[in-house]
Amino acid sequence: MATEYGQGYGLPGPGHARGVGGRRRRMPAALRAPVEGRAWRELAYVLLSLPISILLFTYAVTMVSLGAGLLVTFLGVPVLAAALAGCRGIGSVERARARGLLGLDVGEPEPLRLKRQGFMGWIGAVLKSGTSWRALLYSVLQLPWAVLSFTVTVTFWSVGWTLLTYPLWFWVLPTYAGQDGIQLYGDEQWAIYLDNPFEIAVTAGVGLLFTLATPWIVRALTTVDRVMVHGLLGPSRLATRVVELESDRGVVVDTAAADLRRIERDLHDGAQARLVNLAMDLGLAKEKLREDPQAAARMVDEAHGEVKTALQELRDLARGIHPAVLTDRGLDAALSAVASRCTVPVQVEVDLSERPAPAIEGIAYFTVSELLQNVSKHSRATLAAVEVWRSEDRLMLQVVDNGVGGANLSRGSGLAGLAERLDAVDGILVVDSPAGGPTRVTAELPWRAERAR
């Protein structure tokens, strides 16, 4: 459906690639890989992993074995806690190494939660922390994997460069080793050497293939290291989710406080001020009723107009809080009402077999309302379209206009605040607005079905 809107406006679909002003690389990635800095950093990571993993494995096994052996006495518990604390420190070093050589930015795991102060409280926190045990598991598993990756990497790397550079050094063998070249086969009667120009060229070609393949093999090996570092030394999914929820809660609280201040300001500056003036005008009209009935009638008539204005402001304010049409008739009618107030023609299509939960419905309404306000104020568009549909467990919203484009989430605009509000309920806001237009803003919200109202 979104593509139809794009076609209707003459807009490129999502799959169309746009030209980028960046400089293209002339050399293919397969040929660049052996000399790129990334390949050498990954090679350094693999080469360092073997000696480091030996130290980690030795420390972890020795300390844990010592602690387990001493558990029959009181000394076993603090020794085991010290072993786990050391593994946590090792995890910090490994995260830094992965960050520097692999470009893997892993967040710090959750800190120790001390239920009571003192040495015993620290021991209990270390032993109960999942981060400590994951770091211990990493210290044990790293050694066998480091041995495998080191062996494969050194074999491919040395064989590849040795064969590739064979035309430069093959004279070393007959000069210093007393043989005609690299020996492929030999027994007591005869031997096969790579010594003629054709064989030397083929050998260099095979070396080139090994050399070109080695960075990709090393990259595949370090992918496992990335998974291990991220999964065992990074924050757990539960801790990450808790941090996200705490951040989202802060956004929700700030948004609610801002909305309350806005409502209070609108009431104080708008309807409340008019009602105060209305009370004063009616008081004056009451005093003049006997002395000058005509003047009193004019004042009552003016007060009647103030009442109408105050009622309209109260209706607008109530619509901004939660419109009655949304509660009574749902998103289709409410969004149609919003579209009718937009300064450009807006086509609205809502394809929902059932209504979402009131909270999600309200967020969807205000999201589209704010996006249409942006269309009216900033887009300089002549056409716009709104589409709402459900995709499995997500409620999808899309607003398209044929304006000048240039909308950006990173500029601290209202779109950034809208994205934060959606993120607070596990929603997503995606903006596709190249310079010159068109603009396509897509929002996703979690789907929760409506309960009995």
Side-chain angles (χ1 to χ4, degrees), residues 52 90 106 115 117 137 142 156 162 197 237 248 287 296 301-302 330 357 440 443 449:
I52 290 176
I90 289 170
V106 180
K115 293 186 177 180
Q117 300 299 322
L137 181 61
Q142 177 68 4
F156 272 84
T162 299
R237 291 185 179 181
D248 294 344
E287 293 178 359
D301 185 62
E302 292 175 357
R440 177 181 287 103

Side-chain angles (χ1 to χ4, degrees), residues 100-158:
L101 296 178
L102 298 182
L104 178 64
D105 191 8
V106 180
E108 295 290 330
E110 58 272 22
L112 293 177
R113 298 183 180 272
L114 300 178
K115 293 186 177 180
R116 58 176 180 174
Q117 300 299 322
F119 183 64
M120 297 303 298
W122 175 82
I123 290 178
V126 172
L127 293 176
K128 293 179 181 179
S129 173
T131 301
S132 304
W133 294 100
R134 291 199 306 272
L136 173 62
L137 181 61
Y138 175 85
S139 300
V140 174
L141 294 180
Q142 177 68 4
L143 178 59
W145 176 251
V147 171
L148 174 63
S149 59
F150 182 90
T151 304
V152 173
T153 297
V154 171
T155 301
F156 272 84
W157 188 86
S158 58

Side-chain angles (χ1 to χ4, degrees), residues 183-303:
Q183 184 177 358
L184 290 183
Y185 174 80
D187 53 24
E188 296 179 355
Q189 298 180 355
W190 60 294
I192 299 177
Y193 295 98
L194 302 175
D195 54 358
N196 63 60
F198 174 76
E199 292 173 345
I200 294 174
V202 171
T203 301
V206 174
L208 178 62
L209 295 179
F210 270 81
T211 303
L212 295 177
T214 299
W216 304 101
I217 294 174
V218 174
R219 191 160 301 171
L221 294 172
T222 55
T223 298
V224 178
D225 290 283
R226 289 183 173 91
V227 173
M228 291 176 60
V229 172
H230 188 276
L232 296 178
L233 301 181
S236 63
R237 291 185 179 181
L238 179 60
T240 303
R241 183 59 177 161
V242 169
V243 172
E244 291 178 353
L245 291 177
E246 289 177 349
S247 175
D248 294 344
R249 181 182 63 184
V251 172
V252 171
V253 171
D254 294 341
T255 301
D259 289 340
L260 288 176
R261 289 193 298 269
R262 177 183 59 82
I263 294 170
E264 180 182 9
R265 183 179 63 251
D266 292 344
L267 285 173
H268 182 271
D269 298 340
Q272 181 179 346
R274 291 190 180 276
L275 291 175
V276 170
N277 291 333
L278 175 62
M280 295 176 61
D281 291 342
L282 289 176
L284 293 175
K286 181 179 179 181
E287 293 178 359
K288 289 183 173 293
L289 185 59
R290 294 183 179 179
E291 300 176 1
D292 191 354
Q294 294 182 353
R298 287 195 301 272
M299 296 178 68
V300 170
D301 185 62
E302 292 175 357

